[in-house]
Amino acid sequence: MSEPSEPVVRVNGVDKWYGQTQVLFNIDLEVGAGETVCLIGPSGSGKSTLLRCINHLEEINTGSVEVLGTLMGYRRHRGRLHELREHEASHQRTRVGMVFQHFNLFPHMTAVENVSFAPFKVKGEKRADARAYARELLARVGLEGHADHYPSQLSGGQQQRVAIARAMAMRPQVMLFDEPTSALDPELVGEVLSVMRDLATSGGITMIVVTHEMGFAREVGDRIVFMDGGRIVEEGAPADVLDAPKSERTQAFLSAVLH
């Protein structure tokens, strides 16, 4: 686990509305370089929405999000925020990898083609270089022998590991994981968590993980953030939050999920 350092991700006073419904309330969060932060809480608490706001897959209504010192999704001009054009926002996202609940692999492409596609198309890397790095990443996630398999030939756990390799292929400095094991059969969860554990402990990459896997959060997280009702209720070291939560709401949630 890493020591806290200068924040790589800064979320300042973020509110998010869907129509007349407010789903995030004045969110403040800082994540240091190489830190792994696990977001926990009940369904509908705003965890996934916060993750999508960090990557500007969702617009924010107030506040700001900065990644590596760059304002995400907006530029300041004459004291006001103006939303970036989509191609500009997409360029920003190349530094932030994201792994979703559902793998969304291209079914007509092999594993190595799925992983090498974005570096070739978006970053303009040579096809041979992109494919060579894709094979390295597939080996890293334990799929060296499956590079030429199509998604339909892979288990759910294997497909999610391809999705992780695909996100890593853009050489991001921040990785966001949105409940990456929730769509998997229970016996496949461990293989994906093992890959994420390796990423966290190998250092050099900042991770924010929305998860219901409390054992993973305890073992791998540098910090746990508990959300409920669109608010950050409590945060701290894993042992503090999981073993001695201060908030009654945190206590009630953990009582339900840990017993």
Side-chain angles (χ1 to χ4, degrees):
M1 294 187 182
S2 59
E3 290 296 320
S5 59
E6 184 66 21
V8 167
V9 177
R10 292 181 191 264
V11 179
N12 295 304
V14 164
D15 294 328
K16 169 66 182 172
W17 295 74
Y18 288 122
Q20 300 299 309
T21 303
Q22 188 170 0
V23 294
L24 293 178
F25 295 81
N26 194 32
I27 298 293
D28 291 317
L29 180 67
E30 293 187 347
V31 183
E35 190 178 13
T36 297
V37 171
C38 293
L39 303 181
I40 68 170
S43 297
S45 60
K47 307 182 302 296
S48 294
T49 301
L50 173 56
L51 217 61
R52 293 173 66 85
C53 287
I54 290 172
N55 213 13
H56 197 62
L57 293 173
E58 296 281 358
E59 298 177 21
I60 60 177
N61 294 96
T62 59
S64 64
V65 176
E66 294 182 9
V67 175
L68 297 159
T70 299
L71 195 63
M72 291 295 289
Y74 300 87
R75 67 163 60 87
R76 285 192 178 91
H77 181 65
R78 295 180 179 175
R80 300 186 64 179
L81 293 181
H82 301 267
E83 191 170 10
L84 297 180
R85 294 183 176 90
E86 179 54 34
H87 76 275
E88 295 172 308
S90 295
H91 177 71
Q92 285 188 335
R93 291 188 197 108
T94 61
R95 298 190 296 176
V96 184
M98 189 157 183
V99 179
F100 301 89
Q101 296 178 29
H102 300 286
F103 331 121
N104 300 324
L105 300 178
F106 294 115
H108 62 289
M109 292 184 182
T110 63
V112 72
E113 289 167 344
N114 265 284
V115 175
S116 61
F117 180 76
F120 170 62
K121 277 290 187 182
V122 178
K123 295 186 76 174
E125 294 183 13
K126 293 180 179 178
R127 188 189 297 270
D129 292 342
R131 288 175 74 98
Y133 186 50
R135 289 185 180 275
E136 286 181 30
L137 290 171
L138 288 169
R140 182 173 178 179
V141 300
L143 292 174
E144 190 169 13
H146 296 76
D148 297 315
H149 290 172
Y150 290 91
S152 62
Q153 299 172 302
L154 302 172
S155 71
Q158 290 170 333
Q159 290 185 60
Q160 190 61 295
R161 285 187 279 156
V162 173
I164 293 172
R166 177 180 59 184
M168 292 292 296
M170 296 295 282
R171 295 177 170 83
Q173 290 154 290
V174 178
M175 284 283 286
L176 309 177
F177 293 86
D178 187 7
E179 298 189 40
T181 61
S182 65
L184 299 177
D185 292 333
E187 66 268 22
L188 302 177
V189 168
E191 64 189 64
V192 174
L193 293 181
S194 177
V195 169
M196 294 170 61
R197 188 179 294 111
D198 174 67
L199 288 177
T201 56
S202 62
I205 193 155
T206 303
M207 292 171 51
I208 306 176
V209 183
V210 173
T211 185
H212 291 293
E213 302 290 339
M214 296 300 146
F216 174 85
R218 178 189 295 276
E219 178 188 352
V220 178
D222 294 298
R223 188 155 38 107
I224 290 180
V225 174
F226 173 69
M227 293 185 65
D228 187 45
R231 294 176 168 86
I232 291 178
V233 176
E234 186 167 350
E235 63 179 292
D240 294 337
V241 174
L242 295 179
D243 298 334
K246 298 180 178 66
S247 162
E248 289 185 7
R249 183 64 190 95
T250 314
Q251 293 168 15
F253 172 77
L254 293 172
S255 174
V257 300
L258 293 177
H259 300 293

